[in-house]
Amino acid sequence: MATTLGWWIAGSALGGMLVGSMLCLWKIRHTAKKNKRIPRHWPLNPRGLLNTEERKVWLWLSRVFFDHHVMIKIPVTRFTIPESRKTGLHWYNLLSGVYCTFTICTTDGIVVGCVDVPGPKGISRSNRQLKLTLLPQCGIGYRVVKPSDPPTVAEIRLEFLGESATAARELQRKRDQDRIAAARA
């Protein structure tokens, strides 16, 4: 009789554990399914892409590169490609979290330069060093710009576009001045 009672207790305990584990598994699956559902009301709010300091630089870049597109926060992997397909995944994983605050590109989508605006803590040395070595090797200019101390228009256009673009800009400026002088006369 004691043996039967022992078997009954062991069987009940085993059955209880089995029912408990099944309930636990059901709860995990139910929660996972619930988390995958698209909510009726999203618990999110819109926010601006730029902070105050970045906005100042963006407006300045838009005037400086009036003939280009100034893109906001584009990942480096979007405009670089590995030389070998075999190592593509390695480089993608290494660079997937690397963004530039602004990317300047031509109207046909060719990136000519990248600008970073340092935050309160600045830009990490490793992030800056990565961009200083990678981007110039790809023929892309790179500059860190503080809103309080931007480079001259000629400097940054020369750095990103080369001498011919800077000369063309100066020629256009001279023509505009001549037109203004002619209109005044």
Side-chain angles (χ1 to χ4, degrees):
M1 178 131 191
T3 309
T4 306
L5 183 62
W7 282 107
W8 187 81
I9 292 173
S12 296
L14 187 60
M17 286 190 288
L18 183 62
V19 169
S21 63
M22 289 176 67
L23 282 173
C24 186
L25 184 62
W26 174 83
K27 179 69 174 167
I28 290 170
R29 285 184 178 166
H30 179 71
T31 303
K33 190 182 264 188
K34 185 178 175 184
N35 288 340
K36 286 184 181 180
R37 283 190 210 139
I38 295 176
R40 286 190 183 129
H41 174 73
W42 289 90
L44 303 169
N45 291 315
R47 73 177 183 109
L49 289 172
L50 304 171
N51 64 33
T52 306
E53 298 295 298
E54 292 169 341
R55 190 170 189 282
K56 290 176 187 175
V57 174
W58 182 50
L59 293 172
W60 178 78
L61 285 171
S62 296
R63 287 189 303 272
V64 171
F65 292 100
F66 60 91
D67 51 346
H68 289 74
H69 296 288
V70 181
M71 311 298 284
I72 301 171
K73 299 184 181 171
I74 303 287
V76 171
T77 54
R78 192 70 189 115
F79 54 87
T80 58
I81 191 165
E83 293 175 352
S84 166
R85 293 189 111 206
K86 293 178 185 176
T87 60
L89 185 59
H90 166 74
W91 293 118
Y92 178 81
N93 289 334
L94 182 70
L95 299 173
S96 63
V98 179
Y99 285 73
C100 293
T101 310
F102 301 108
T103 304
I104 315 308
C105 67
T106 62
T107 55
D108 54 345
I110 310 252
V111 174
V112 295
C114 292
V115 172
D116 273 333
V117 178
K121 297 179 183 177
I123 297 170
S124 73
R125 182 183 295 166
S126 61
N127 191 335
R128 188 174 186 166
Q129 188 61 35
L130 184 147
K131 292 174 188 175
L132 283 170
T133 56
L134 170 67
L135 296 175
Q137 287 179 23
C138 295
I140 299 169
Y142 176 70
R143 180 68 85 97
V144 175
V145 174
K146 294 178 184 174
S148 60
D149 187 27
T152 65
V153 171
E155 284 175 339
I156 198 160
R157 283 189 68 92
L158 177 65
E159 186 175 338
F160 287 6
L161 305 175
E163 289 182 27
S164 61
T166 303
R169 167 86 170 152
E170 285 301 314
L171 181 63
Q172 183 63 39
R173 191 176 62 79
K174 176 81 169 108
R175 286 180 186 158
D176 290 345
Q177 287 176 347
D178 291 346
R179 286 183 193 145
I180 291 170
R184 283 184 184 154

